[in-house]
Amino acid sequence: MKLRLDRLLTLYLASPGKQILGSASKSVPILMYHSVSDHDESEVHPYYRTSTSPQAFSEQMQFLKNQGYSSCSLDVALDHLKNDAAADKKLVVITFDDGYADFYKYAFPVLRQNGHSATMFLPTAYVGDSPLQFKDEDCLTWQQVRELSRYGISFGSHTVTHPWLVEMNVNQIDDELAISKKTIEDQLGIHVESFAYPYAFPQTDAEFKNMLKDSLLRAGYRNGVCTVVGRADPDSDPLFLERLPANSDDDPTLFAAKLAGAYDWISTAQQISKTVKSRLHGAKNQAKFNFNKELPTVQRPS
Ligand SMILES: [Zn+2]
């Protein structure tokens, strides 16, 4: 059994604190899913797992419905954060990265059953007219993407090739952002305005963040998400909104605590960990430590 410092601190320190202090400002939880499948991730620490079993996903979606959450797109969530009139509304954004085909088979029927919408971020090089694979898993086809779009699923860009953007020059980044956006727009005949940063987000690299922001705005994006953990609030950068990673290990207690903001402390741990590492090794090398991880590093016991 792997020790889960993140779970322990969330449930026994952060949660009671939140209940006593209350939620200081308006916020929207944005859930981050990857695969909905029964993949065995027992060798991976629960914090880094990216699969959610169909059973756990179904329970989580029912939980949201039972708790009165209404799911929405990123632009609606951002409007809500800017607009004081709707402060009491319980909104949630449900996002998926990587375009896996198991979304079509397992996630979409459950979303529909529970009346939820969702946003899927596609790495467009891995979406074809017949199934292509990303990380050894089948991805959606364009026909499935079009069908899901007709049923109200939103689509955003997750770049073309899912690269480590921090290692690219500005022209390469412009291409990854613009070509993926245009490809989805051509396939669906709609405007694409949302972007999800692939791999762990280099949140302490201000120079890179500014460069990426300019590139996103040049390409015509209006909102986006990243891997920084937390809930989005009025101070969040609309292009790099925080998310709450979810997986099979999110039992109702932990899931509820994350939604209520008790997991937001992780972003501080991420920031400290990254600052220390970038001072020791330089920002670019620090980024490589997380090369294969979709989630950023937090300080935790090994
Ligand atoms: Zn990804």
Side-chain angles (χ1 to χ4, degrees):
M1 175 122 178
K2 292 184 168 70
L3 174 61
R4 288 208 61 180
L5 189 61
D6 63 317
R7 187 177 204 281
L8 199 70
L9 288 174
T10 296
L11 296 185
Y12 297 102
L13 292 176
S15 275
K18 277 275 167 193
Q19 279 158 24
I20 293 162
L21 297 172
S23 225
S25 67
K26 194 159 48 163
S27 55
V28 175
I30 304 175
L31 294 167
M32 173 174 66
Y33 290 95
H34 287 81
S35 171
V36 175
S37 64
D38 284 311
H39 290 156
D40 178 15
E41 291 188 298
S42 53
E43 295 307 306
V44 183
H45 186 278
Y47 175 78
Y48 292 105
R49 290 176 191 165
T50 52
S51 289
T52 309
S53 71
Q55 175 68 29
F57 183 71
S58 177
E59 288 166 8
Q60 291 167 11
M61 293 304 105
Q62 279 174 38
F63 180 87
L64 292 177
K65 186 179 167 187
N66 295 342
Q67 294 295 310
Y69 277 96
S70 160
S71 52
C72 67
S73 59
L74 288 175
D75 59 329
V76 169
L78 282 166
D79 275 353
H80 169 74
L81 289 174
K82 277 186 271 173
N83 174 10
D84 286 339
D88 56 335
K89 213 170 176 188
K90 281 172 93 173
L91 290 182
V92 63
V93 185
I94 306 167
T95 70
F96 294 78
D97 288 7
D98 297 347
Y100 291 126
D102 54 40
F103 177 86
Y104 185 89
K105 188 172 177 185
Y106 295 120
F108 177 60
V110 171
L111 288 164
R112 254 174 84 80
Q113 252 167 33
N114 290 282
H116 294 313
S117 63
T119 301
M120 165 64 85
F121 294 101
L122 301 172
T124 54
Y126 300 97
V127 183
D129 293 327
S130 55
L132 303 173
Q133 289 201 323
F134 177 64
K135 293 184 181 171
D136 298 326
E137 296 299 328
D138 277 356
C139 289
L140 295 164
T141 62
W142 284 120
Q143 192 189 337
Q144 289 171 326
V145 170
R146 281 192 292 270
E147 186 182 338
L148 291 166
S149 175
R150 283 198 295 273
Y151 279 104
I153 300 298
S154 302
F155 287 89
S157 161
H158 199 33
T159 71
V160 179
T161 62
H162 204 287
W164 189 254
L165 287 172
V166 79
E167 297 196 327
M168 292 183 142
N169 66 39
V170 67
N171 293 333
Q172 292 171 312
I173 292 174
D174 279 347
D175 283 351
E176 286 281 345
L177 303 187
I179 294 171
S180 55
K181 184 174 187 289
K182 183 165 187 336
T183 303
I184 304 170
E185 287 176 341
D186 288 349
Q187 288 285 347
L188 296 182
I190 55 167
H191 273 299
V192 169
E193 297 182 334
S194 304
F195 177 77
Y197 187 86
Y199 296 119
F201 188 62
Q203 67 193 108
T204 56
D205 189 341
E207 191 187 338
F208 174 76
K209 265 167 69 177
N210 287 335
M211 191 257 276
L212 182 64
K213 197 170 181 170
D214 289 345
S215 188
L216 284 164
L217 293 172
R218 261 199 307 280
Y221 291 98
R222 290 167 56 91
N223 54 57
V225 290
C226 66
T227 56
V228 174
V229 175
R231 297 174 305 168
D233 65 35
D235 295 327
S236 299
D237 188 321
L239 292 169
F240 306 125
L241 295 168
E242 301 88 344
R243 287 192 287 180
L244 297 169
N247 62 33
S248 290
D249 294 278
D250 287 306
D251 55 70
T253 308
L254 182 57
F255 194 63
K258 284 183 176 182
L259 289 164
Y263 212 55
D264 296 1
W265 65 273
I266 292 236
S267 66
T268 310
Q270 287 177 324
Q271 184 107 17
I272 293 167
S273 163
K274 288 192 170 185
T275 304
V276 170
K277 278 184 183 164
S278 63
R279 294 225 171 118
L280 286 174
H281 304 285
K284 296 287 188 284
N285 283 338
Q286 177 250 316
K288 283 185 190 166
F289 290 158
N290 297 329
F291 187 73
N292 282 316
K293 290 177 182 150
E294 291 279 9
L295 288 176
T297 308
V298 290
Q299 296 287 20
R300 60 181 175 80
S302 55

